[in-house]
Amino acid sequence: MTIQGRLTNSRGFMPVILFFVATVALATAAAAQQQVPFRGNDAVGGIPVAPTGIVVPPLPDGPIEYQTAEGQDIRVVVLARGLNHAWSMAFLPGGDMLITEREGRVRLYRDGRLEAEPVEGGPEIRVAGLSGLMDVALHPLFSENNWVYLTYTKPLDDDGVVLTLARGRWNGSALVGVEEIFVADPGTRGASRIAFAPDGTLYMTTGGNGAQDPNSHGGKVLRLHDDGSVPDDNPFAGMAGHKPEVFTLGHRNSLGLAVHPGTGNVWQNENGPNGGDEINVLKPGANYGWPIISLGRTYPGPWQSEAFWRDGMEQPVVYWTPSIAVSGMEFYTGDALPRWKGDVFVGGLRTGEIPGTGHLERILFNQDMEELRRESLLVDLRQRIRDVRQGPDELLYVLTEADDGALLRIEPGD
């Protein structure tokens, strides 16, 4: 269906002559386009080969000063280098930090430096595409029980993987007693974030196929107790043909999860295909549409779906077209950066399918949590931003995703 056809279907009458002229113009333009190489067998099912014209500069040694749109001057400091495809971070009491690397290592940032050796005691993982060791989170009562939670792709006997949640105790220098507490259905893989809600339940995102199948763990947000068991008040608990762990369905590739500090609602973000990245507010049992509705195109170019909405399916509160490959998410609640208080921050891995265009984005909402404006930050660094978190010092911490990635801190400028 052409763009004109989509507009006609959703917005009413369009003059026939305008439709004809536009269609001819599109056909003429298409005949003059370059032939773009694709990965895969053909342009129908493949992905366009990304261009390589932008060179990503090395991060500078010294602090970087920025002026920003709200008048919040900032300084960006490189705290640590040498992180290999860092994925997530969690702050320990006292300011130390656990950082996960996709290849399976848990790293310790202590006393202002990155420890050279990985933390001992982590689970066995297998890297599968962009998945491996992913999120890390502390139990809400960490000061009492020392529980640390990890999501990762667990190796299977047939060289496959399956998405798994484990927990272990932090003894001050290592993880001990790590055990699996939830293993998804075979075939469930992809990105996974975790977050604890105010009631102590644990939310976990999954990738993979089956987003519209309520009897599959794939393409869902799950809700679990802290031991991996199923809460009795989950929306599909006790329903035949439904996985009891499922809280929401219809998700594509969820790379951000955060709890709103005022309402306690869980917010989730996910990658669309070529466009259509989203931030969603999760509602029990709700369907977020993938792959039936989407605001993005397939990688070869056509629209993912013939409609942008459907009755009974939720719409995002924020979306991106073109895509920024959204990853990580944080509500800023501190006073150290006062002009950003209440704003949402997300990382971006690349914009519009162009490598070397990663950055951090800030989104300002009104009192009804409706988007007012957004700002792109750290654009000149050209880094893939995998995660962003607020530290106990009320500053923002950012992980870059690369073979030689870095931990950055955003603090007030002079």
Side-chain angles (χ1 to χ4, degrees), residues 4 44 58 82 92 100 111 155 177 214 219 230 251 259 296 328 366 368 388 407 410:
Q4 289 75 19
V44 175
L92 296 164
T100 55
D111 297 329
V230 179
H251 301 290
V259 177
N366 64 18
D368 296 321
V388 54
L407 171 67
I410 299 176

Side-chain angles (χ1 to χ4, degrees), residues 345-393:
F345 289 81
V346 298
L349 298 167
R350 70 182 190 185
T351 302
E353 302 301 313
I354 304 294
T357 55
H359 61 281
L360 184 69
E361 287 208 4
R362 177 189 65 86
I363 306 161
L364 174 69
F365 292 87
N366 64 18
Q367 296 300 311
D368 296 321
M369 298 312 295
E370 299 163 333
E371 179 188 354
L372 295 181
R373 54 182 176 262
R374 66 181 81 172
E375 180 179 14
S376 295
L377 303 165
L378 316 188
V379 174
D380 60 308
L381 301 183
R382 298 192 173 278
Q383 298 291 312
R384 288 168 57 84
I385 305 300
R386 173 61 72 184
D387 203 10
V388 54
R389 304 281 174 146
Q390 179 178 318
D393 54 7

